[in-house]
Amino acid sequence: MASKHHIQSLTEEVKCPICLEFFTDPATLECGHNFCRSCITQSSCREKRNPCPVCRQEITDRTLQVNRALARIAETTRALSLNTEGKESKLHCKKHQEELKLFCETDKQLICLICRDAREHESHGFMPIQEAVENYKEQSQNMLTYITSVFAELRQILNEKERLFHKELREEEENVLIPMENNLRAIREELTSIQNKLLKLQKRKNETDSLIFLKEETRQKRRISDEDQMLSVAEGALDFGKFDHLFLLNTVLRETIDSVKRVSVTLDVETAHPLLEVSVDRKRVRVTGTERRLPDTGKRFKDWRCVLGSEGFTSGRHYWVVDVAGNRYWSLGVAAESVQREGEEELSTETGVWSIRRWWDREYDALTSPQSPLPGRVGVYLSYESGTVSFYDADTKSHLHSFTGNKFTEKLYPFFGIWDEDEWLSISSGSFPLHLGPMSSGP
């Protein structure tokens, strides 16, 4: 196979010295130099003499000799050059010099077909490069959607807190301003009374009988002393400290974290599939392998091995944790009250279930999302008003997946599906991994 260097050298030999492109209908002059027929013809027309554009030798014979062999060589070289440029634009394995066609999901690197069969990649997962690119694009889009939903929810929380603080400030104003207005009214009345008393005092001062004046003045002072009281314009003041910047920020963040209710989920045995066993405390569930005869409650799952939580939600923010370690096949999330309890239709967002699942040994998926590393404990978060269902690794507090932009209109219940025999799914409450405050550990 011709090397890149050889092809480049050959390319220079089959290009016209005038247009610097591959020869087109090449012609040879007396001196032996070659040119495109159109290029040398135009050059000759511009010159009074007929020198060779390369060596400047005078050309006496104007007859141009067609060089068909050079034409074939030029065409072959053009095709070879284009083919080489196409190959050069592709990525090649440094070890095997083969085109990189696969993405190793285990090592997160591009490999060639020879690498795939090597011992170092034995039992690894692979996918075509373009498919891997599309997956990572989807992951980026999912993360962008998640971040957008988080900040939308935070704005919703902050707007609500702002509304409450405005209301509280107005109430504070009323508590201070109303007594202030009453005090001002009382002070005006007292000033009027004092002025009247001064007028009377001035009148008595003009009395000629000093003894009568003295007795009356003593009696009047005693009466005023008994009635007199200190009046201030304001008996209280606005507590500006509670509306301080740092106080407001800390209050909002603390109340935002506290507003996420850590739910103590219990399982509703009346919804459990006949193959599922629910523990006495209704905090665990497993597959028994023996289908029991149970009463038809109208709520029971008959085809999917699923069970719902006892408590449903129509508002608020809720969080709970499920221990999935040791289970190979499970599904977790929330389900609408109207979810179908029988039939083999896929339980997905279209049918009223927002969940992620583990279906293989190493990965979980969200039915339509790219697969990700497997957690041992999964945190489930529901924000009813913002239409968000999110999943977290409960131990690392890292985000796994979110369903956003939903408009919930009916009661939602914690949802559990399990297909492994003898392995329990265990439910607990846990600290919500809100990234605006310190990460607190789970139970």
Side-chain angles (χ1 to χ4, degrees):
M1 182 181 290
S3 68
K4 180 180 178 182
H5 175 72
H6 290 153
I7 293 175
Q8 288 177 337
S9 299
L10 181 60
T11 298
E12 296 302 319
E13 296 297 326
V14 292
K15 286 187 175 181
C16 173
I18 296 177
C19 68
L20 302 179
E21 299 293 340
F22 285 101
F23 285 120
T24 301
D25 192 14
T28 305
L29 301 183
E30 293 176 1
C31 59
H33 291 113
N34 297 287
F35 305 90
C36 296
R37 177 182 289 274
S38 59
C39 291
I40 192 61
T41 300
Q42 293 175 12
S43 177
S44 298
C45 292
R46 289 193 298 268
E47 296 275 357
K48 294 181 179 180
R49 298 166 54 246
N50 290 317
C52 170
V54 176
C55 64
R56 309 307 295 174
Q57 177 181 328
E58 188 75 23
I59 305 300
T60 57
D61 187 359
R62 293 176 175 269
T63 303
L64 297 175
Q65 300 295 322
V66 177
N67 193 333
R68 292 186 175 84
L70 183 58
R72 289 192 296 271
I73 295 173
E75 187 61 30
T76 301
T77 306
R78 185 202 305 269
L80 185 61
S81 177
L82 291 175
N83 186 49
T84 303
E85 289 176 2
K87 287 185 176 180
E88 287 297 319
S89 64
K90 297 177 180 178
L91 298 174
H92 288 76
C93 175
K94 293 181 179 180
K95 185 176 181 180
H96 303 110
Q97 304 306 314
E98 292 289 325
E99 183 183 349
L100 298 173
K101 293 186 175 181
L102 297 174
F103 177 72
C104 176
E105 298 177 81
T106 306
D107 293 338
K108 308 299 181 187
Q109 61 180 219
L110 302 179
I111 62 172
C112 69
L113 296 178
I114 298 177
C115 289
R116 177 193 61 183
D117 299 327
R119 181 176 300 174
E120 60 183 304
H121 291 286
E122 187 177 357
S123 75
H124 288 186
F126 310 99
M127 68 172 64
I129 290 178
Q130 188 57 39
E131 184 178 337
V133 170
E134 293 302 321
N135 276 350
Y136 275 93
K137 284 183 179 179
E138 187 173 350
Q139 285 181 354
S140 297
Q141 182 59 44
N142 286 342
M143 181 54 68
L144 178 61
T145 302
Y146 166 70
I147 292 172
T148 302
S149 70
V150 167
F151 278 92
E153 186 172 354
L154 287 176
R155 281 191 288 270
Q156 179 184 357
I157 293 171
L158 290 174
N159 289 337
E160 177 64 18
K161 294 300 180 185
E162 181 182 14
R163 187 186 67 79
L164 292 176
F165 274 115
H166 284 180
K167 180 182 178 182
E168 188 173 346
L169 179 58
R170 286 193 295 269
E171 291 174 352
E172 287 277 344
E173 289 176 345
E174 292 177 359
N175 291 337
V176 172
L177 290 177
I178 292 176
M180 183 184 295
E181 291 173 352
N182 293 335
N183 287 348
L184 282 172
R185 190 180 301 109
I187 289 174
R188 290 193 189 98
E189 293 174 355
E190 184 67 20
L191 286 175
T192 301
S193 175
I194 291 174
Q195 288 175 346
N196 292 332
K197 292 173 183 177
L198 286 174
L199 289 174
K200 292 180 180 179
L201 181 62
Q202 184 65 38
K203 184 178 179 180
R204 287 195 300 273
K205 184 180 178 182
N206 296 328
E207 293 287 342
T208 55
D209 191 335
S210 300
L211 183 58
I212 295 175
F213 172 78
L214 183 60
K215 288 181 178 180
E216 181 64 23
E217 182 63 19
T218 302
R219 184 183 64 80
Q220 183 70 14
K221 283 185 177 181
R222 189 184 308 114
R223 185 174 62 82
I224 293 176
S225 177
D226 293 339
E227 296 176 355
D228 195 22
Q229 57 179 344
M230 294 294 295
L231 292 177
S232 62
V233 175
E235 296 179 352
L238 286 174
D239 183 6
F240 287 103
K242 68 190 303 181
F243 301 105
D244 176 73
H245 173 265
L246 288 179
F247 179 86
L248 279 174
L249 183 60
N250 289 332
T251 300
V252 169
L253 292 180
R254 183 177 63 253
E255 291 181 357
T256 299
I257 296 173
D258 293 342
S259 68
V260 179
K261 183 180 179 182
R262 288 175 285 181
V263 185
S264 179
V265 174
T266 57
L267 300 172
D268 184 354
V269 295
E270 293 187 356
T271 66
H273 185 278
L275 282 173
L276 298 184
E277 177 189 356
V278 176
S279 63
V280 175
D281 62 1
R282 296 191 297 159
K283 304 291 286 186
R284 298 184 299 158
V285 60
R286 68 177 178 178
V287 178
T288 62
T290 302
E291 188 165 345
R292 295 168 293 167
R293 290 176 176 267
L294 297 172
D296 186 359
T297 63
K299 300 166 57 179
R300 194 177 307 284
F301 285 93
K302 296 181 180 179
D303 294 287
W304 292 95
R305 299 178 186 179
C306 303
V307 60
L308 300 181
S310 298
E311 180 184 1
F313 312 109
T314 56
S315 64
R317 293 181 287 273
H318 311 275
Y319 183 75
W320 60 93
V321 173
V322 184
D323 188 343
V324 297
N327 288 275
R328 294 173 299 169
Y329 306 102
W330 49 258
S331 182
L332 301 173
V334 298
E337 187 172 29
S338 62
V339 64
Q340 293 298 313
R341 311 304 168 100
E342 60 181 313
E344 297 182 357
E345 187 177 5
E346 183 81 71
L347 297 178
S348 63
T349 54
E350 288 74 19
T351 55
V353 176
W354 293 263
S355 67
I356 61 172
R357 67 181 181 182
R358 179 186 178 181
W359 217 245
W360 304 104
D361 288 340
R362 297 180 181 175
E363 296 171 316
Y364 81 91
D365 68 80
L367 297 180
T368 58
S369 71
Q371 297 180 338
S372 303
L374 178 70
R377 295 198 313 149
V378 177
V380 184
Y381 169 65
L382 166 65
S383 176
Y384 194 96
E385 284 78 7
S386 69
T388 300
V389 180
S390 294
F391 301 88
Y392 297 86
D393 185 321
D395 295 317
T396 65
K397 308 299 183 185
S398 58
H399 172 255
L400 299 175
H401 182 76
S402 284
F403 296 98
T404 59
N406 302 289
K407 294 187 181 298
F408 299 133
T409 58
E410 59 180 298
K411 186 175 289 188
L412 301 179
Y413 290 85
F415 170 83
F416 309 87
I418 183 171
W419 290 266
D420 265 349
E421 292 188 11
D422 299 324
E423 292 290 344
W424 292 94
L425 282 183
S426 302
I427 309 164
S428 65
S429 60
S431 57
F432 179 60
L434 184 67
H435 299 296
L436 292 178
M439 296 297 186
S440 53
S441 59

